[in-house]
Amino acid sequence: MEEKQKTTIVLFSGDYDKAMAAYIIANGAAAYDHEVTIFHTFWGLNALRKDEPIKVQKNFMEKLFGWMMPRGADRMGLSRMNFGGLGTKMIKEIIKKHNAMPLPALIDLAKEQDIKLVACQMTVDLLGLKEEEIMEGVEFAGVAAYLGDAAEGRVNLFI
Amino acid sequence: MEAAKFLDAKGFACPMPVVRTKKAMDGMAQGEVLEIHTTDKGSIKDMAAWAASTGNELVKQTEEDGVYKFWIEKA
């Protein structure tokens, strides 16, 4: 069989809806038998955060960032019509009604399909996140590792 | 049409019909046919596109009372 095609997605956004789009495309690409990488940077890293509070050593600024950012995919808000979280609640109800998959389930499916989830080490450090706060099975890497995959990618997206 | 395997993907929304189809096909032998039922309108185009690009053949496709039926032969 010929070599597998590659799809890479940079998830920069920490918005629930944008992350959902990213993960739906990623899961679709995996079903297309592509090797898929999602490279999470800046606010997109919050999708990889564990949802329970983790005891780690942090300085004041890091703590502040930790408090202000959503802890895990399920706590992320919509990019539009969030209305202080009410919009997100509503969209989750609609997702259920339409039998679509909520974001945390899409992330589980991605892992099940062996999609490579990468956290950008530099922004992990910038935002004061600690490795213990990131879910299991995530790789930590930089721009070179991303470009290595993206250069061979047929589909490369920045979301 | 004789199908070696049947996949009921009714009620599932995008991307599940293709994800399930891929999984089901992985366990099948060359030349075997998978029959898939869906209710997601997007799957009409999705199944054809998936089959074309993975090299499998969409042999037949019908619609009955809002249920979309596909027969895909594994290449």
Side-chain angles (χ1 to χ4, degrees), chain A residues 3-157:
Chain A
E3 196 162 305
K4 275 195 174 183
Q5 293 184 5
K6 283 191 180 179
T7 288
T8 71
I9 297 173
V10 177
L11 182 58
F12 179 93
S13 169
D15 296 323
Y16 190 97
D17 42 357
K18 291 189 184 178
M20 219 177 128
Y23 271 88
I24 288 175
I25 296 168
N27 278 305
Y32 259 71
D33 233 348
H34 290 193
E35 261 180 50
V36 187
T37 303
I38 309 178
F39 189 79
H40 302 71
T41 185
F42 278 92
W43 320 112
L45 287 168
N46 290 317
L48 301 178
R49 270 181 100 182
K50 290 178 184 161
D51 50 12
E52 73 271 14
I54 307 289
K55 266 224 158 312
V56 281
Q57 280 291 334
K58 287 191 181 192
N59 64 31
F60 177 70
M61 281 292 269
E62 290 174 340
K63 272 186 194 152
L64 208 60
F65 264 90
W67 286 328
M68 288 191 301
M69 295 190 302
R71 213 169 48 232
D74 205 37
R75 288 195 178 87
M76 291 170 21
L78 287 182
S79 63
R80 293 282 179 99
M81 306 204 295
N82 190 35
F83 301 128
L86 193 68
T88 310
K89 252 195 198 127
M90 279 162 62
I91 206 90
K92 283 178 187 170
E93 273 308 305
I94 296 168
I95 288 169
K96 220 183 270 168
K97 226 193 222 156
H98 285 247
N99 243 325
M101 291 178 86
L103 183 54
L106 284 166
I107 296 175
D108 286 342
L109 181 66
K111 288 179 175 168
E112 210 180 288
Q113 295 209 87
D114 290 323
I115 289 174
K116 195 158 89 180
L117 302 181
V118 183
C120 163
Q121 183 70 62
M122 194 274 279
T123 42
V124 165
D125 296 340
L126 270 188
L127 300 179
L129 293 168
K130 305 293 171 196
E131 218 175 302
E132 297 91 316
E133 293 178 278
I134 304 288
M135 57 170 77
E136 313 300 323
V138 171
E139 294 175 29
F140 293 81
V143 65
Y146 165 71
L147 287 171
D149 287 334
E152 296 166 24
R154 295 278 290 271
V155 181
N156 300 308
L157 298 173

Side-chain angles (χ1 to χ4, degrees), chain B residues 10-62:
Chain B
K10 292 197 291 290
F12 287 114
C14 174
M16 285 319 278
V18 257
V19 170
R20 290 284 176 96
T21 300
K22 193 232 177 229
K23 245 184 224 165
M25 288 290 262
D26 279 347
M28 290 170 58
Q30 192 182 353
E32 282 185 334
V33 173
L34 174 68
E35 180 177 344
I36 308 136
H37 292 186
T38 70
T39 48
D40 170 36
K41 251 192 196 149
S43 60
I44 304 170
K45 288 267 190 275
D46 271 9
M47 286 298 174
W50 181 85
S53 105
T54 51
N56 299 296
E57 195 189 347
L58 179 59
V59 201
K60 194 178 149 195
Q61 177 172 355
T62 63

